[in-house]
Amino acid sequence: MTKKIAVSLPDDVAERLAQEPNVSAFVARAVRRQMAGEQTRVLLTRAGLTITDEDVARAHAEMQQLTAGITPELREQAAQLRAEVLAARAKARR
């Protein structure tokens, strides 16, 4: 079942949505991702782990910094290692 609703959005968000062939599906996926994140935080809190918005922002900043340090040489090394691991797995299955 679906329900049609109207929302008001900032211009930048509306412009992004205008690029999508199926805005409803795009929004549904985004909201479901948000809901999953909220549920994860609830479960972590119940387990005694509290994650704040600041913790999330710090983790995102660290990921961006780490990602910026990935050189073409590191990507090539990773590709070679992946190929070696896949070959070893295939050999082990025989």
Side-chain angles (χ1 to χ4, degrees):
M1 182 156 123
T2 61
K3 186 173 192 173
K4 187 172 184 151
I5 62 171
V7 297
S8 297
L9 300 168
D11 290 342
D12 62 324
V13 175
E15 289 171 12
R16 174 60 182 89
L17 288 176
Q19 299 172 17
E20 288 299 317
N22 187 337
V23 174
S24 294
F26 183 88
V27 171
R29 283 192 309 272
V31 172
R32 284 191 177 116
R33 259 193 314 274
Q34 178 70 26
M35 291 166 55
E38 290 168 355
Q39 182 61 27
T40 299
R41 280 190 182 191
V42 167
L43 293 173
L44 289 171
T45 299
R46 286 182 189 161
L49 302 169
T50 301
I51 298 175
T52 66
D53 290 340
E54 292 79 20
D55 294 330
V56 173
R58 197 169 31 255
H60 281 285
E62 186 175 339
M63 280 294 294
Q64 287 178 336
Q65 183 180 13
L66 292 170
T67 300
I70 299 173
T71 63
E73 295 80 15
L74 287 174
R75 288 187 192 283
E76 178 59 31
Q77 288 176 356
Q80 289 174 358
L81 286 172
R82 183 176 189 276
E84 291 173 19
V85 167
L86 292 175
R89 284 182 184 167
K91 185 177 180 181
R93 288 185 190 136
R94 291 184 221 161

